[in-house]
Amino acid sequence: MAQDHSLISDLPEGHIVCNFSLKLLKVEAQNIMEWFEQNDDGNQWIVVPGLRGPTITKLADDHYTSLGGVTYRFQWEGSTGLIKVVPSGPHVSSTDRFVDVVKSKISAMGMPYEESLWVGSKTYRPAVGKGKEGDQAFVPPSRCTTGIRNVGRPTLVVETGVSESLPHLRQDAKKWFADTDGEVRIYAESESYLKSGNSLP
């Protein structure tokens, strides 16, 4: 029997718990973004208990306006949501560098690029009452046969976070494997370097 891994396992001590109010969520998310403008590590997580269906749908599907322009990733189980605020530039750069390495390996293997798909931060619903989204995900040709809107689960999921987020991202890897019955086979975590001039190791 697969071990249960909690949605909120191993979050940083400074994570925020915010009973749902879209106005308060926007304020908390903006505060986290402002923190990362001056600091290269810290909390990027907001736990939101007591969510209802329409709010879950809005947070999952409307990333452009839900938190007032703050970039985030969202996952949920039942009525509890977990938001990862994304420090934009360095986070995206770290993710993109990893994806570029994988793309070059795929090309070297002779796999036609147009037959596979990178789906970005697509939301997956592995079971009733659950949803997850990584920073990037790769869907191989064998799972791209039903059209771009109905592609299968990814085999590779990429998550990027700051140092304090890594323990939780490792728990999240176990959840990806368990929640997809092993269809996600590779989970890659990348640490974003927030100060200018830093580079990936």
Side-chain angles (χ1 to χ4, degrees):
M1 182 175 174
Q3 183 180 354
D4 180 47
H5 302 283
S6 167
L7 179 71
I8 58 174
S9 295
D10 289 334
L11 289 172
E13 287 186 10
H15 72 269
I16 295 164
V17 178
C18 180
N19 289 322
F20 179 71
S21 155
L22 202 53
K23 183 176 180 180
L24 285 177
L25 269 183
K26 288 178 181 178
V27 169
E28 295 290 6
Q30 189 60 49
N31 287 342
I32 291 173
M33 284 297 293
E34 289 174 3
W35 168 265
F36 281 118
E37 288 174 7
Q38 303 297 323
N39 300 276
D40 60 358
D41 206 358
N43 170 65
Q44 60 185 133
W45 303 94
I46 306 172
V47 178
V48 193
L51 292 176
R52 297 175 183 249
T55 305
I56 288 172
T57 299
K58 179 173 177 58
L59 288 170
D61 297 343
D62 184 10
H63 280 56
Y64 297 104
T65 63
S66 290
L67 296 186
V70 172
T71 303
Y72 66 94
R73 304 289 179 256
F74 179 60
Q75 57 182 301
W76 73 93
E77 286 186 8
S79 62
T80 300
L82 181 62
I83 293 170
K84 179 177 76 173
V85 175
V86 174
S88 301
H91 180 103
V92 172
S93 176
S94 294
T95 305
D96 287 350
R97 287 186 197 183
F98 180 86
V99 169
D100 286 344
V101 169
V102 175
K103 284 180 178 178
S104 70
K105 299 296 184 185
I106 290 170
S107 177
M109 291 165 52
M111 182 187 298
Y113 180 75
E114 64 276 7
E115 292 181 9
S116 58
L117 187 65
W118 288 92
V119 294
S121 56
K122 175 181 171 64
T123 300
Y124 286 88
R125 292 167 170 82
V128 175
K130 288 184 176 183
K132 306 172 70 58
E133 116 183 92
D135 289 310
Q136 266 286 5
F138 173 75
V139 183
S142 61
R143 300 184 189 182
C144 292
T145 57
T146 56
I148 193 167
R149 292 186 179 274
N150 298 303
V151 294
R153 290 174 176 168
T155 54
L156 165 66
V157 174
V158 182
E159 293 265 20
T160 305
V162 296
S163 294
E164 285 194 23
S165 293
L166 294 182
H168 177 75
L169 294 182
R170 288 174 180 148
Q171 285 295 323
D172 202 39
K174 297 171 185 175
K175 285 189 62 57
W176 273 104
F177 296 142
D179 288 349
T180 63
D181 297 320
E183 288 191 28
V184 171
R185 298 176 183 172
I186 303 169
Y187 178 94
E189 60 193 35
S190 172
E191 184 178 343
S192 59
Y193 286 66
L194 298 178
K195 288 182 178 176
S196 61
N198 286 342
S199 59
L200 291 173

